[in-house]
Amino acid sequence: MTQVIACIDGTNISPAVCDYAVWASLRFNAPLEFLHVLDKSEYPTESNLSGNIGLGSREALLVELAALDEQRGKLALEQGKLMLDAARQRAIAQGIENPGSRQRHGSLVETLIEMETDIRLLVLGKHEDHLSQHIGSRLENVVRTLHRPILITTASFKVPERVMLAFDGSPTTRKGVEMVASSPLFRGLPCHLVMVGVESDTAREQLAWATSTLEDAGFKTEARIIDGEVERVLCDYRSDHAIDLLIMGAYGHSVIRRFLVGSTTTSVIRNASVPVLLLR
């Protein structure tokens, strides 16, 4: 796992994706590469249009439509190259030396699977207008498929000053605590540990372990056990304590697992006013 990979698509979220990726790259002291994938369903390079035309249509119309389709693909390719170059220049201006760029035709998920062993952190933006009932089909597929940390950004960039880690004592979230403790990404930032559930001796013991693990790594830590509904507790705490970034374990075997796999995940990511880092 060597690189920070930032997926850009030319929409209004791309500048924030670029800036968060630059921030992470500098914190990790790791190479940064920008990725633009031309989805073959949106920009087909080859088409069979014979079934789209009525029986009386002329051959010339088929040829013309094929030519227009090819031209559309070429324009999308050129647009992607310009976006990648603009992202590279933006990163260079912020102190990144020689950021890379890559353009691919095909599926975003398939492309990322091919690159997975080289990904230290994947940075993706969420499209607000595509989040009515789902996170967004491509984003959700990426989250469910990849086994790498994924940072889902908002549309505007803010340097994180306080982070919150949702913890429940499960192996998944314990591993998340250890990942945060050993990573330079959040080094020096206050870390809030929030455990949702009824306070008990077991819960206090688990939270004490997480707190000591982070404090031993040099983190200033504030830990709380709060009873209530998971999404509401995390959202309220985030708002009340001016949290800039939420960290969660993905697909554990606990209340957090139900939180992530169920509709609550979609709701939290959709409604989050701060980036969400999903740890695998």
Side-chain angles (χ1 to χ4, degrees):
M1 297 182 287
T2 59
Q3 298 185 93
V4 174
I5 301 293
C7 296
I8 60 172
D9 58 7
T11 61
N12 66 323
I13 62 174
S14 291
V17 170
C18 178
D19 293 345
Y20 275 108
V22 167
W23 170 79
S25 176
L26 292 173
R27 297 283 294 189
F28 278 132
N29 191 26
L32 170 61
E33 183 172 37
F34 294 102
L35 173 66
H36 176 238
V37 177
L38 286 164
D39 192 309
K40 54 190 174 186
S41 66
E42 298 180 9
Y43 301 105
T45 55
E46 295 181 4
S47 299
N48 180 3
L49 299 172
S50 59
N52 299 332
I53 308 301
L55 293 175
S57 300
R58 299 179 179 179
E59 182 70 21
L61 184 54
L62 288 174
V63 172
E64 184 177 351
L65 286 171
L68 287 171
D69 189 55
E70 181 181 1
Q71 182 64 19
R72 181 170 175 254
K74 288 180 178 179
L75 289 173
L77 187 68
E78 185 60 30
Q79 180 190 34
K81 291 178 180 178
L82 292 173
M83 288 190 299
L84 288 170
D85 183 63
R88 290 187 71 255
Q89 295 305 317
R90 188 183 184 97
I92 290 171
Q94 296 180 62
I96 300 294
E97 295 184 7
N98 195 29
S101 64
R102 189 182 311 202
Q103 190 173 50
R104 291 289 184 270
H105 278 285
S107 160
L108 175 61
V109 172
E110 292 174 359
T111 300
L112 291 173
I113 289 173
E114 292 176 4
M115 301 172 61
E116 188 168 14
T117 56
D118 292 328
I119 297 175
R120 184 167 185 177
L121 174 69
L122 177 66
V123 185
L124 295 167
K126 63 174 183 177
H127 294 272
E128 301 291 348
D129 54 340
H130 295 158
L131 297 177
S132 56
Q133 295 297 325
H134 303 285
I135 298 173
S137 59
R138 285 194 290 181
L139 176 56
E140 187 170 11
N141 286 339
V142 169
V143 170
R144 291 183 178 276
T145 303
L146 253 63
H147 293 80
R148 291 289 182 266
I150 300 174
L151 178 61
I152 302 172
T153 79
T154 50
S156 59
F157 173 73
K158 180 183 183 298
V159 176
E161 296 178 357
R162 299 177 190 84
V163 300
M164 177 175 73
L165 198 158
F167 179 74
D168 63 9
S170 67
T172 298
T173 56
R174 288 174 73 94
K175 182 178 179 181
V177 168
E178 292 171 343
M179 290 175 67
V180 171
S182 63
S183 171
L185 189 60
F186 303 114
R187 193 67 47 77
L189 302 182
C191 183
H192 293 246
L193 276 168
V194 178
M195 196 171 191
V196 181
V198 178
E199 189 166 352
S200 65
D201 290 341
T202 299
R204 285 190 291 269
E205 182 180 345
Q206 292 171 334
L207 196 61
W209 171 86
T211 301
S212 63
T213 299
L214 290 171
E215 289 180 344
D216 288 348
F219 284 86
K220 181 181 178 181
T221 305
E222 183 173 334
R224 292 281 304 279
I225 301 174
I226 306 174
D227 191 19
E229 190 271 326
V230 176
E231 179 188 359
R232 177 48 49 200
V233 168
L234 295 180
C235 289
D236 287 349
Y237 190 95
R238 184 188 68 220
S239 176
D240 293 343
H241 294 81
I243 301 298
D244 299 313
L245 191 146
L246 171 62
I247 309 166
M248 305 187 67
Y251 307 111
H253 297 281
S254 61
V255 64
I256 295 294
R257 178 186 186 278
R258 296 192 294 274
F259 167 56
L260 281 165
V261 175
S263 60
T264 311
T265 300
T266 300
S267 179
V268 166
I269 294 177
R270 180 177 67 239
N271 294 323
S273 57
V274 299
V276 178
L277 175 63
L278 298 177
L279 301 177
R280 299 300 299 272

